[in-house]
Amino acid sequence: MMSRFMLLAPVAWRNLWRNPRRTLITLLVVAIGVWSILVFDVILNAWVTSSREASLRLLTGEGQIHATSYLDDPNVAHRMSEPEGRLLRALNSPVVSAWVRRVRVPAVIQSEYRTRAVTFLGVEPPGERIVSDLPSQVVVGHYLRDSDDIGIVIGRDLAEKLKTRLGKRVIVMAQAADGHLAERSFTIAGLFDGSQAAQDEFVFTGLHTAQSALGIGHDISEISFDTAPAASLNDIVSALKHAAPSRGIEPWTALSPLAYAMESFSQSYIAMWLAIMFVLMAIGIINTQLMAVFERTREFGLLQALGMRPGMILFQVTLESALLVGIGVLVGVLLMLITLVPFRHGLDLGFLAAGAEMFGAGRVLYPHLDPGDAVRYSLIVWALGIGAALWPARMAAKADPIVAMAES
Amino acid sequence: MGAIIRCRGVEKIYRQGAVDVPALRGIDLDIESGDFATLAGPSGSGKTTLLSLIGGLDRPTAGEISVDGEPIVKMEKNRLADLRLHKIGFVFQAYSLIPVLSAAENVEFILRLLDLPMHEREARCKEVLREVGLEGLEKRRPSRLSGGQQQRVAVARALGPKPAIVLADEPTANLDSKNAEELIALMAHLNATSGITFLIATHDSRVMAHSRRRIEMMDGKITADERQDATVAA
C-alpha cells in the first residue's frame, strides 16, 4: 500500500496542475467553504459563550435557590429563611465557589417626574462583586458598599427615563410582608451601564436595607451560586436538593432558557452550515474531477493496458481528490486564522448592539478557536470531499482499456 | 520453438444499434516465441481488433486465445492486468505516454508497478533508454520530445519489464520516414538481441519488409500467412 502511495502520489500531484486554473478554482471553493465553517463555528461559540456569560454574570449565577413557587410568582410572600444546617453546609462546600443572598421583589420607582415598574433587589455587595459583573458596570457614582447601604443604584438609562440623576432622591414602592404598600426614599448612589433590559429593570440597595423596608426580618428571596471549576453543576444541584428538599433549586439552564437554547443548538447550526457548504463544495469537487476524468479517459485506458489494475486507477484519482481537498482545507484553516487574529482581543459588536442584545449576547464577542473543532470539521470536509470524488474515480477505474487502442 | 500466442476460432462481433458487425471471423493463428510478425491489411480488416484480443484488452465473442500457455478469454480483470504487466508490452500509434512523467519516469512507472527494487529499476531504466537511443533525454517530458522520440520511449517502456511479447499497433503511423525507419530498425534489433516476440499491426510496407512473418488480413479473416527473409539483418 505504501509503495503504491509513493508511486502514485507524485503522479497525482502533477495531474492536479495539468489544468491550474480549474484546480485553483476548486481549491478556492474548498478553502472558502472550510473558512466559512470554521469562522461560523468560532463566532457562534463566542456568541454562545457571550450569551451565557451575559446572562449568568448579570444576576443568574450558575444556579439559584428560591422558595417553592417564587419563580411562578416572585412576590414578597414567596420568600424563604436564610440558609442553615445541611443547606448551609452544602453551600459552603468546596464545589460551590461563591454564593450570595438577595431580596428580589417587583416594585415601582418614582422620581419627581416619572414612575416606572422595576425589580427591587437587596444585595450583599461584597458577594455580588464575585458572582456578578454588574457592580463593575457602575459608570457614574459608586456601587453599594455593604448590606446596610441605604443608597440605591439604578441603570443609567432608567435615570434618563425618570429624568433624574446621581444624588437625587427616588421613592421605591413595593408590597411589604404584612400586605401593605411599603414606601421608602433612597438617594441615587450610582448609575450602571450594560444591557438595555438590565438598566431598565433592576434597582439595587443593601440587603438589610431592603429587608427592613419590606418588613421581612432576615428572610430572603433567592440565593445565587457559582460552581468551582471542574465541578459538575448537576451533581451540585442534586446535592442542594437533597439538603433542602422543600426549596426550589434550579440550574442556569432552566433559569436562562435562551442562553441554554443557544448552547444546545449551536452544534446543530454548525452542522446545518457544514451541510450547506459541503453541498456547494461537493458540486465543485465532483465537477472538477469529472472533467479531469473525461479528459483523461484514454489515459486511464492506457494505464490499464499497461497492466495497472482498476483498483489502482481508482486509488490514483481518489488520491488526486484527497490532495486537492486537503490543500483546500489547509488554505481554509489558514484563512480562518488570518481572519480571526485581528479579533483575538474581542470583536466589538457595538454597531450591532441592539441585535446582539436581542439574542442575549454581550457587546463584545471573544472568538476562541477550539483546536478540536478545527481538526474535526477539517477532517469531515476532507473525508466528505474524498467521498464525493469516488464517483468520478469509479468512472476512471471502469475506463475500457480498448480505448487506448483507438486513434486519438 | 512453441507458440507463445495461440488463437483458435476467434470471432468478434460488434453490435452497432440493432446491427451486428463482425470484425473477426474464425481466426486460427499461432505466433512462435521470438518471432517478428506483422499483421497487414486495409483499415477495417480486423488487425487492431485481433491485437486487442490477444492483449486481453477486449474479449472475443467466440473462440479461445492463450498467451504463453495461459487461456485469457475468461480471465478475471485483475489477472488480465497482471498478465499484461508481466508478459505483454504495448506500443500504440501515438499519444501513449503519461504526459506528467519524464521519459525515464514513464519507463520506471511500469517497473515500479512490478515492485522491483530501486537499484534494479534505475539500472533497467538506464539500459532500455540507452538501447532505444534516448541517453541524455531521460528527464524530458513527452511534450518536449519529438514524435519519434516519444515512440522510442514507448518502446523502452514496453521492453522495461522484459516481456515475452510486444504488441504494437501502427507504431510508425504518425512518424516521418526517417523516424519510422529508425523505429523499425530498433524493434528488429531488439527482437534479434533479446528474443522478445513482436506482433505488429501495420499498413507500413517498410515494417512489413523487416518482418520474418507476414500475416495478411481482410474482412476479419486471415487471407495469407507467409514467412519471409527480413530485408535488413538485425
Side-chain angles (χ1 to χ4, degrees), chain A residues 264-345:
Chain A
S264 303
F265 291 119
S266 65
Q267 293 302 314
S268 307
Y269 296 147
I270 292 167
M272 280 193 297
W273 187 249
L274 193 144
I276 293 167
M277 280 295 107
F278 183 71
V279 167
L280 297 177
M281 281 189 278
I283 291 169
I285 294 164
I286 291 173
N287 183 49
T288 301
Q289 291 305 87
L290 272 181
M291 298 262 286
V293 165
F294 283 139
E295 281 173 9
R296 290 156 57 200
T297 303
R298 190 169 186 276
E299 188 176 311
F300 294 126
L302 169 76
L303 290 171
Q304 286 204 50
L306 295 177
M308 200 161 162
R309 288 181 168 198
M312 273 194 77
I313 291 172
L314 183 112
F315 183 50
Q316 182 184 319
V317 179
T318 306
L319 198 56
E320 288 174 23
S321 306
L323 280 171
L324 181 66
V325 181
I327 296 166
V329 166
L330 289 177
V331 174
V333 171
L334 197 66
L335 284 177
M336 179 270 294
L337 292 173
I338 292 169
T339 308
L340 293 179
V341 160
F343 302 112
R344 64 189 181 282
H345 300 306

Side-chain angles (χ1 to χ4, degrees), chain A residues 124-192:
Chain A
E124 299 176 289
E128 291 292 335
R129 289 182 201 283
I130 297 169
V131 300
S132 169
D133 286 338
L134 223 145
S136 64
Q137 291 172 343
V138 172
V139 288
V140 179
H142 61 81
Y143 189 63
L144 303 166
R145 295 200 167 85
D146 54 43
S147 298
D148 294 317
D149 201 318
I150 57 170
I152 194 164
V153 172
I154 68 173
R156 185 161 63 173
D157 190 62
L158 179 63
E160 284 174 16
K161 286 175 178 163
L162 291 172
K163 291 192 175 179
T164 187
R165 63 177 187 274
L166 186 73
K168 299 281 278 182
R169 292 188 77 76
V170 289
I171 295 168
V172 174
M173 290 169 279
Q175 188 185 338
D178 59 6
H180 290 97
L181 189 67
E183 187 177 304
R184 184 137 179 182
S185 170
F186 294 92
T187 300
I188 298 173
L191 303 177
F192 67 88

Side-chain angles (χ1 to χ4, degrees), chain A residues 213-252:
Chain A
L214 299 173
I216 57 174
H218 293 293
D219 284 355
I220 54 175
S221 305
E222 73 182 21
I223 294 169
S224 174
F225 62 88
D226 279 350
T227 61
S232 160
L233 178 59
N234 287 339
D235 290 349
I236 293 169
V237 168
S238 297
L240 291 171
K241 280 182 175 173
H242 185 67
S246 62
R247 302 194 190 201
I249 299 165
E250 302 288 351
W252 70 270

Side-chain angles (χ1 to χ4, degrees), chain A residues 4 7-8 11 299-309 312 316, chain B residues 81-90 92 96-98 101-117 120-122 124-125 128 153-163:
Chain A
R4 294 291 182 256
L7 168 64
L8 295 179
V11 181
E299 188 176 311
F300 294 126
L302 169 76
L303 290 171
Q304 286 204 50
L306 295 177
M308 200 161 162
R309 288 181 168 198
M312 273 194 77
Q316 182 184 319
Chain B
D82 291 346
L83 178 89
R84 289 194 291 267
L85 180 65
H86 289 90
K87 294 192 174 172
I88 304 174
F90 279 100
F92 299 110
S96 64
L97 300 180
I98 301 168
L101 299 181
S102 68
E105 288 168 335
N106 261 283
V107 177
E108 201 190 351
F109 188 82
I110 302 300
L111 302 178
R112 288 184 74 167
L113 285 178
L114 287 165
D115 287 329
L116 292 183
E120 257 184 65
R121 287 200 312 260
E122 285 175 354
R124 182 68 185 147
C125 195
V128 289
V153 177
V155 171
R157 181 182 61 192
L159 295 173
K162 297 183 179 172

Side-chain angles (χ1 to χ4, degrees), chain B residues 121-203:
Chain B
R121 287 200 312 260
E122 285 175 354
R124 182 68 185 147
C125 195
K126 214 170 176 179
E127 183 188 342
V128 289
L129 283 170
R130 191 181 60 242
E131 277 186 86
V132 300
L134 285 176
E135 272 180 308
L137 300 176
E138 296 91 339
K139 290 185 179 170
R140 286 204 187 172
R141 288 211 185 167
S143 58
R144 295 184 56 224
L145 294 170
S146 70
Q149 288 167 336
Q150 287 188 44
Q151 279 303 60
R152 283 166 182 266
V153 177
V155 171
R157 181 182 61 192
L159 295 173
K162 297 183 179 172
I165 308 159
V166 170
L167 301 176
D169 185 35
E170 304 281 7
T172 57
N174 287 353
L175 301 182
D176 58 36
S177 319
K178 180 172 172 292
N179 276 311
E181 286 286 357
E182 285 175 3
L183 186 72
I184 297 159
L186 172 68
M187 289 194 292
H189 169 74
L190 292 169
N191 167 255
T193 54
S194 63
I196 295 172
T197 308
F198 277 76
L199 180 59
I200 305 168
T202 186
H203 280 106

